[in-house]
Amino acid sequence: MVILSARNVDVLLGSRQVLTGASMEVRPGELVAVLGPNGAGKSTFLNVLSGEQKTQSGDVRVGADELQHLSPASLACKRALMPQKASLSFPFKVRDVVAMGRDPFRASVDAASNKNAVDWALQETDILHLAGRVYTQLSGGEQQRVQLARVLAQVWRKTDEEPRFLLLDEPTSSLDLAHQHSVLHLAGRLAEKGVGVVAVVHDLNLAALYATRVVILSNGCVVAAGVPEDVLQPSLIADVFNLSVHRVEDPDSGRKLIVPTGNHRRSASVIAIRRAL
């Protein structure tokens, strides 16, 4: 089995230690949600897994291959990354933006298959009606769905045997409630087809409902990893997020959902700042 892995990774950005000894594995067929408070290192960790972020130490591989030794074209055929923000100022049509996800395969895959990939991605993200629109004239949420379609097109294959990985950095941040759930539901369906999916999310309940595993970061360290029901315990959430919660069972899925109690646990640093003011 081909696994995407990062082991004992350290990342230093300027003078700040962003990740310390961070480890994580993603297997084909998993949907892994990466959680943590702001500044915990979630996006940096995702960029490490994608090969976009260099490390000071540690080992990052897809299968037996070290990411740093793969060419950009080879890496693009193994994983797709949807960043938190995608800057695109030229007036491309939506279909053309989605078709960019097929660029790594144009020399090896026939045109009909590439077209099928784009059509499928447009349908799955519910933006087929936007295909002829200009990307820069769309709303923020619509642009985010276009970027999601682009990376979906990148991981499309004729068959599901070839392992590939989809990395999503806050894919639901600009979306309404219905589309937030549709994106995570889609990610789960891709995992069922053998795609290894990693999604940075802020909503604990989206992770509880859809993820097969969760990884929690705090101050650049992985503090917990496992199935949502085992990891998303009120005591851990209180420690990491400074928030008191209790759990209730979702009657449809049987999964445990997180409900804040209304008692916000302020950290010592927050209290010190308020006193200083």
Side-chain angles (χ1 to χ4, degrees):
M1 178 185 292
V2 175
I3 297 174
L4 177 62
S5 64
R7 293 185 175 89
N8 298 317
V9 167
D10 290 340
V11 173
L12 188 68
L13 297 180
S15 60
R16 180 176 170 233
Q17 188 80 33
V18 180
L19 292 176
T20 304
S23 297
M24 177 177 168
E25 290 187 347
V26 187
R27 297 172 178 83
E30 286 190 314
L31 169 51
V32 182
V34 180
L35 306 167
N38 291 338
K42 302 183 295 298
S43 294
T44 300
F45 203 8
L46 197 73
N47 287 333
V48 166
L49 287 170
S50 75
E52 297 286 326
Q53 175 62 56
K54 293 183 178 180
T55 65
Q56 270 61 52
S57 61
D59 183 65
V60 188
R61 296 174 181 265
V62 56
D65 298 319
E66 292 187 47
L67 264 59
Q68 62 180 340
H69 295 154
L70 292 174
S71 68
S74 177
L75 188 56
C77 291
K78 297 177 183 294
R79 65 92 181 100
L81 170 67
M82 178 182 167
Q84 195 174 125
K85 294 181 180 179
S87 177
L88 186 61
S89 57
F90 292 101
F92 291 110
K93 297 291 181 64
V94 165
R95 176 176 285 277
D96 295 331
V97 175
V98 177
M100 292 176 185
R102 299 304 298 172
D103 285 350
F105 308 97
R106 296 202 185 280
S108 58
V109 177
D110 60 273
S113 293
N114 286 327
K115 182 181 182 301
N116 288 341
V118 172
D119 290 341
W120 169 79
L122 289 167
Q123 290 173 338
E124 290 291 333
T125 52
D126 193 28
I127 58 170
L128 189 58
H129 62 290
L130 300 177
R133 293 271 303 276
V134 175
Y135 175 84
T136 53
Q137 296 176 359
L138 301 179
S139 70
E142 289 170 333
Q143 289 184 356
Q144 191 167 23
R145 285 155 62 195
V146 173
Q147 292 297 333
L148 177 60
R150 176 184 60 78
V151 293
L152 289 186
Q154 189 174 341
V155 299
W156 181 91
R157 301 290 189 275
K158 280 186 177 181
T159 63
D160 295 330
E161 284 76 19
E162 184 182 351
R164 67 272 195 206
F165 298 90
L166 178 62
L167 310 177
L168 307 171
D169 194 358
E170 297 192 30
T172 62
S173 61
S174 297
L175 302 182
D176 59 41
L177 188 60
H179 282 110
Q180 289 179 27
H181 283 270
S182 68
V183 166
L184 270 296
H185 182 69
L186 172 58
R189 295 206 323 269
L190 288 171
E192 291 172 358
K193 290 179 177 291
V195 180
V197 184
V198 184
V200 172
V201 295
H202 280 289
D203 191 321
L204 300 182
N205 283 322
L206 286 176
L209 280 172
Y210 295 104
T212 56
R213 281 197 305 122
V214 296
V215 172
I216 297 184
L217 286 171
S218 180
N219 296 318
C221 300
V222 174
V223 296
V227 298
E229 184 162 345
D230 291 344
V231 172
L232 295 178
Q233 298 286 344
S235 58
L236 180 67
I237 293 170
D239 289 340
V240 173
F241 295 94
N242 292 314
L243 183 67
S244 296
V245 302
H246 66 271
R247 302 201 301 177
V248 298
E249 184 173 308
D250 175 57
D252 294 324
S253 66
R255 295 200 174 196
K256 295 292 196 301
L257 300 182
I258 312 301
V259 180
T261 64
N263 298 322
H264 180 64
R265 285 184 35 162
R266 295 177 297 170
S267 66
S269 60
V270 172
I271 295 171
I273 291 171
R274 288 190 61 115
R275 285 175 176 169
L277 293 175

